[in-house]
Amino acid sequence: MTSTTAMPTAASLSSPFQRWRRRFLRHRVALAASVILLLLVVIALLAPVLAPYNPYQSDWLAISSFPTAAHWFGTDELGRDILSRIMYGARLSLWVGLASVSLGTIGGIVLGLIAGFKGGWLDSLIMRSSDVLFAFPGMLLAIAVVALLGPGLNNVILAVAIFSVPIFARLVRAQTLTLRHSTYVDASRSVGASNTTLMFRHILPATLPSVVVYFTMRIGSSILTAAGLSFIGLGPEPDVPEWGNMLASSRSLMMAGAWHVSVFPGMAILITVLVFNLLGDALRDTLDPKAR
Amino acid sequence: MTTQNTVNDSHALILKADHLSVAFESEQGPTQALHEISFDVYEGEILAIVGESGSGKSVTSLTTMGLLPENGRVTNGHLWYSPRDGDAIDLTTLDDEQSRILRGTRLGMIFQEPMTSLNPVLKVGDQLTEAARLHLKLSARKARDEALAMLSKVRIPSPERVMDEFPYSLSGGMRQRVMIAMALMTRPRLLIADEPTTALDVTVQAHVLEIIRELQREFGMSVIFITHDMGVVAELADRVVVMQAGRVVEQNSVHDIFAAPAHPYTQKLLAAVPRLGAMRGMPLPHSFEIPGESAAEAQASIDYDTDPLLEVDALEVRFPISSGWFGRARQEVLAVDRVPLKIWPGETLALVGESGSGKSTIGRALLRLAKSKQGFIQFADTRLDNLTDDQFRHWRGDMQMVFQDPYASLNPRLTVGFSIAEPLLIHKRVPSLNKAMPTVERLLEQVGLKAEHARRYPHEFSGGQRQRIAIARALALEPKLIVADEAVSALDVSIKAQVINLMMKLQRELGIAWLFISHDMAVVERIAHRVAVMHLGRIVEIAPREQLFAAPRHPYTKRLMEAVPIADPAQRHHRPVDTQEPRSAVIPRHQQQPPYHYREVGEQHWLFTEGNP
């Protein structure tokens, strides 16, 4: 017995991951966004080394100073260096974004898999609860959670995580529903694979591309929500260098014409959120399941 | 009665492809889809373009219609269309608007998928009249009359009612008739039909072919009929163009092609075509004679006095039809209705029937991929139907399945080696993936692939190779029975023959019993020891293959045989066109069905009979 059809060429010999990597490296926006994100991460990690000043220390000789050679981004109403505070703030924002969305994603994936795979009353329960959470504006829900648990960084993370759960649950459930009856899942079932094997080896990996896309985009909006919570005073202590906190304390100076106190933290938020959104778009382009 | 479509005496050319080349741009660079192909279409003839997937036959039709996708372009040659009056037009030089007008008035096209080629949100009547009103400038009333007339021409029962329906309420065969009516509304001079019957059942296909032939004669139009099915070619075409890998390898009249194929590829293609009746006088299944391979061999005979491997009785599967979100199901589909079944070790039992007859559901119910309502299932002296799902998992090793779609049945994210090793790992026959590799490599070689293929991913293989991989996985646990659910239906003819030979070889060597589910009577005649014919959830006739094909007893079996295209243009005959909508097996929920039993009409030959014995 021989197989008569032509064998694939060497160029096509690759795992799905390697093919994605090739597409990703060819995507210009993806590369630019990755470089900026990498820069942000480096700044956040090395803030103690890179920051020119202690973010808590006031320079009493330069209160509300405009940008100067000594203070590139100027200082705030207590004379603290804004550049240093933004650098330290990057640590908090990235951490809040990553931690909250990770928690939300894990919860969402588990609930979505169960709902989609088991169906029945469990599915109804999980999805109707998600619908209830969806009905609240995200910010309102986060405020409610923080109001219940008290302000503080960890509670912000929890609040943001909770309202990320239904998004991922719905996403994963929808894909699980179609994959559950796909032929290759049936094929594994017919060789005796258990439900756990089917769920985690065959269904979950197939949902990951879209989960990764949403995960990346969610980080951007979670950072925005977390900053919003801090801005209205539900985040960490007011003196903590957090971007939302910085905007909140700049309100009075802004009216007095000191533009730098709000523009620089605002720019930091803008750039960070934009980078995550662009990266999410690029991931969606390159993970396109049709190219599989 | 035989009919012969003779080419119009005038021999007027309507279409002439002259060294036509088409290339597609892609990420990997340009790929040449057509290499300088040349052929002629004369007025009033049916030209069949035959080839396997990737031969460029569909690209030819799209180029003619001016419907090439964005990344495709003509790189060389001409495609001349001769209007009734005036000079020939080169179709490759037309702009979008010009080719749109030509499409609307002179050229018509029917596509493969009747389910997707009609707009689901427009009524049939609106879709039918659209082109006529646009291009022929007919009034709404006049266009409607035309449409009604055309619907009766394609033998649609109660055209008035169908005009006001949406496509979803029509069956596949009815939709394809509507598509034909639509393509003919503007009275095209040239109709291009791209695999119009591939997705249809064989009885429906016979009707659609008959309709196309009748209308072609009535309107005197030319037809380009694109297909991979040599049987259909023999039934319909006047002349044949054979394509392979973007080249025309042979063209000739249909009689000459079938009587004396000149090109080796045509010879190979024709040799691989399963012909109904080819097995007359051979009581045992026989593998295909493939040029360049070892000679065909007969399968072992089966001793029906021994105990069967699998015994099934009164198997019943019902699918509730839920209506709306919280609506309780009031109706259900009676997919499998109290079916009895026996398979002996080393035997191939074929389960044939049209789509919706429940044949796949039986296979799925045996493997518990579909829930059966009741039924006695005994496998090698063990009752399986009352096992829990957990207990049943141990038995899965003995019963395996090969699915229809070779592209969907392998997880695209796992290497082929892992997919084959998975059953071994699950049943703890090997401690680790590494330990499984020798077995995996042996299995790959057993199905005609190479050991190093284990490290590759499914997307690197062709459909036929993937089906071999699926078979290798099914073999991993050394099963006694494999359910092959339309396992070769999606494959090209030459590949199909190879995979069938492989299945028969495995039966000879390993003594595997196959439950071979198929709608293709000619393939079944080749492979089966016994055949069970299914209709509306019941087996209506079950008999040894030779007996069933020589002397079918049940009217439905006869109808099914009658509808199979015969791959011999000398045996063309006229078939009456059926105007009935197919019946379905939808019944009110929990309804009791009247009793039935089987009457023995010959050795191992049982016939469905209503009522109690």
Side-chain angles (χ1 to χ4, degrees), chain B residues 3-4 237-238 240 252-260 568-570 572:
Chain B
T3 56
Q4 305 257 324
D238 298 311
V240 183
N252 212 333
S253 81
V254 66
H255 294 280
D256 291 344
I257 287 265
F258 277 85
D568 181 358
R572 253 181 221 179

Side-chain angles (χ1 to χ4, degrees), chain B residues 187-302:
Chain B
R187 300 292 156 90
R189 290 183 62 211
L190 176 63
L191 178 71
I192 299 175
D194 190 351
E195 304 258 10
T197 58
T198 305
L200 303 178
D201 280 326
V202 47
T203 55
V204 181
Q205 161 172 300
H207 301 150
V208 169
L209 293 181
E210 197 60 48
I211 288 166
I212 290 179
R213 185 152 55 183
E214 270 182 33
L215 294 175
Q216 182 266 336
R217 231 174 285 142
E218 185 178 339
F219 295 148
M221 61 183 175
S222 313
V223 177
I224 297 180
F225 197 96
I226 291 166
T227 181
H228 67 277
D229 186 339
M230 287 309 242
V232 171
V233 173
E235 290 270 326
L236 196 71
D238 298 311
R239 283 192 316 119
V240 183
V241 168
V242 183
M243 290 188 72
Q244 183 197 17
R247 291 188 169 83
V248 171
V249 297
E250 183 169 3
Q251 49 182 319
N252 212 333
S253 81
V254 66
H255 294 280
D256 291 344
I257 287 265
F258 277 85
H263 193 276
Y265 178 71
T266 318
Q267 290 165 358
K268 203 180 122 206
L269 211 56
L270 281 171
V273 174
R275 287 161 204 258
L276 207 57
M279 299 280 294
R280 212 159 282 154
M282 291 193 247
L284 290 172
H286 236 268
S287 55
F288 280 93
E289 198 83 57
I290 298 174
E293 278 186 33
S294 56
E297 283 180 74
Q299 302 300 102
S301 64
I302 305 301

Side-chain angles (χ1 to χ4, degrees), chain B residues 290-562:
Chain B
I290 298 174
E293 278 186 33
S294 56
E297 283 180 74
Q299 302 300 102
S301 64
I302 305 301
D303 180 5
Y304 291 108
D305 293 329
T306 55
D307 283 341
L309 173 69
L310 175 78
E311 192 172 352
V312 177
D313 196 29
L315 183 69
E316 184 167 327
V317 183
R318 296 179 178 212
F319 297 119
I321 305 172
S322 57
S323 43
W325 267 77
F326 295 100
R328 300 274 305 249
R330 291 221 185 79
Q331 292 188 310
E332 53 193 2
V333 178
L334 184 57
V336 176
D337 184 13
R338 297 161 290 170
V339 163
L341 207 61
K342 278 180 193 165
I343 301 178
W344 274 267
E347 185 196 31
T348 302
L349 173 69
L351 210 48
V352 298
E354 306 197 308
S355 47
S357 63
K359 57 189 192 304
S360 290
T361 312
I362 288 188
R364 298 177 61 85
L366 288 178
L367 279 118
R368 289 210 190 175
L369 296 174
K371 249 200 172 64
S372 52
K373 197 174 166 232
Q374 58 165 12
F376 166 88
I377 302 173
Q378 180 168 302
F379 186 86
D381 298 332
T382 311
R383 275 286 291 270
L384 294 187
D385 53 284
N386 44 20
L387 296 183
T388 65
D389 282 352
D390 245 12
Q391 292 169 321
F392 185 74
R393 273 179 52 200
H394 298 289
W395 285 94
R396 287 192 182 277
D398 284 339
M399 273 194 278
Q400 285 294 301
M401 187 147 178
V402 178
F403 296 84
Q404 171 170 12
D405 185 351
Y407 292 90
S409 57
L410 295 168
N411 188 337
R413 281 168 205 80
L414 300 176
T415 61
V416 161
F418 188 88
S419 284
I420 297 174
E422 191 182 22
L424 298 168
L425 294 167
I426 286 170
H427 289 270
K428 307 221 162 44
R429 302 268 174 96
V430 288
S432 70
L433 184 59
N434 275 336
K435 288 273 177 357
M437 284 330 269
T439 315
V440 169
E441 289 171 358
R442 180 179 56 78
L443 287 166
L444 278 169
E445 281 165 0
Q446 197 163 26
V447 299
L449 296 171
K450 297 195 181 86
E452 66 257 30
H453 289 170
R455 279 183 301 277
R456 299 196 182 162
Y457 287 85
H459 73 98
E460 298 165 36
F461 295 92
S462 67
Q465 290 173 325
R466 289 188 209 205
Q467 208 58 309
R468 286 167 190 270
I469 295 166
I471 292 175
R473 174 174 55 189
L475 291 175
L477 293 170
E478 295 164 2
K480 299 191 178 74
L481 170 71
I482 303 183
V483 177
D485 186 2
E486 299 275 9
V488 297
S489 306
L491 305 177
D492 281 328
V493 268
S494 56
I495 313 290
K496 190 186 285 194
Q498 290 174 10
V499 173
I500 287 170
N501 277 2
L502 168 67
M503 291 166 71
M504 296 174 88
K505 184 190 89 161
L506 294 171
Q507 184 169 59
R508 286 194 302 272
E509 289 172 0
L510 307 172
I512 292 169
W514 292 92
L515 176 59
F516 188 83
I517 299 169
S518 177
H519 67 275
D520 190 335
M521 299 298 276
V523 166
V524 164
E525 194 189 12
R526 201 30 90 169
I527 195 171
H529 288 90
R530 285 185 307 135
V531 182
V533 181
M534 280 203 80
H535 184 51
L536 295 175
R538 294 163 181 167
I539 290 179
V540 296
E541 185 167 6
I542 183 163
R545 174 193 45 82
E546 201 191 6
Q547 202 166 332
L548 187 98
F549 279 81
R553 294 291 294 268
H554 195 274
Y556 180 74
T557 315
K558 289 179 187 165
R559 235 177 81 202
L560 206 57
M561 303 272 199
E562 177 67 14

Side-chain angles (χ1 to χ4, degrees), chain B residues 9-180:
Chain B
D9 289 339
S10 61
H11 277 264
L13 264 180
I14 183 164
L15 192 76
K16 182 181 183 60
D18 181 14
H19 294 93
L20 184 70
S21 298
V22 172
F24 286 97
E25 287 297 333
S26 71
E27 253 184 72
Q28 286 83 36
T31 42
Q32 198 73 28
L34 295 181
H35 299 270
E36 306 206 356
I37 63 161
S38 300
F39 63 87
D40 301 328
V41 186
Y42 294 98
E43 227 167 299
E45 75 166 344
I46 300 182
L47 176 79
I49 301 184
V50 229
E52 299 186 291
S53 43
S55 62
K57 53 193 197 303
S58 287
V59 177
T60 311
S61 74
L62 292 175
T63 313
T64 313
M65 291 298 283
L67 292 174
L68 272 184
E70 296 269 307
N71 61 344
R73 68 200 160 78
V74 175
T75 53
N76 182 36
H78 306 278
L79 192 57
W80 299 104
Y81 166 77
S82 336
R84 281 223 172 76
D85 36 21
D87 297 330
I89 308 165
D90 186 355
L91 293 180
T92 62
T93 60
L94 297 186
D95 63 27
D96 285 355
E97 182 61 14
Q98 286 166 322
S99 80
R100 186 179 69 87
I101 292 171
L102 196 66
R103 259 204 311 273
T105 55
R106 298 287 175 253
L107 308 176
M109 183 152 181
I110 318 171
F111 298 88
Q112 173 171 1
E113 266 305 326
M115 293 302 168
T116 53
S117 49
L118 288 171
N119 186 336
V121 297
L122 286 180
K123 284 182 183 166
V124 167
D126 295 335
Q127 301 191 52
L128 271 174
T129 52
E130 189 183 13
R133 295 182 61 182
L134 199 66
H135 292 291
L136 305 182
K137 313 268 184 275
L138 296 182
S139 69
R141 156 100 45 103
K142 191 94 187 21
R144 193 180 162 82
D145 291 345
E146 274 288 305
L148 280 174
M150 198 55 81
L151 284 182
S152 1
K153 278 207 198 314
V154 295
R155 306 291 181 79
I156 282 189
S158 51
E160 288 276 357
R161 180 180 60 85
V162 171
M163 285 283 276
D164 290 321
E165 289 200 45
F166 289 95
Y168 68 83
S169 58
L170 302 177
S171 67
M174 288 294 150
R175 284 188 217 199
Q176 202 58 301
R177 292 178 196 203
V178 169
M179 266 309 292
I180 295 173

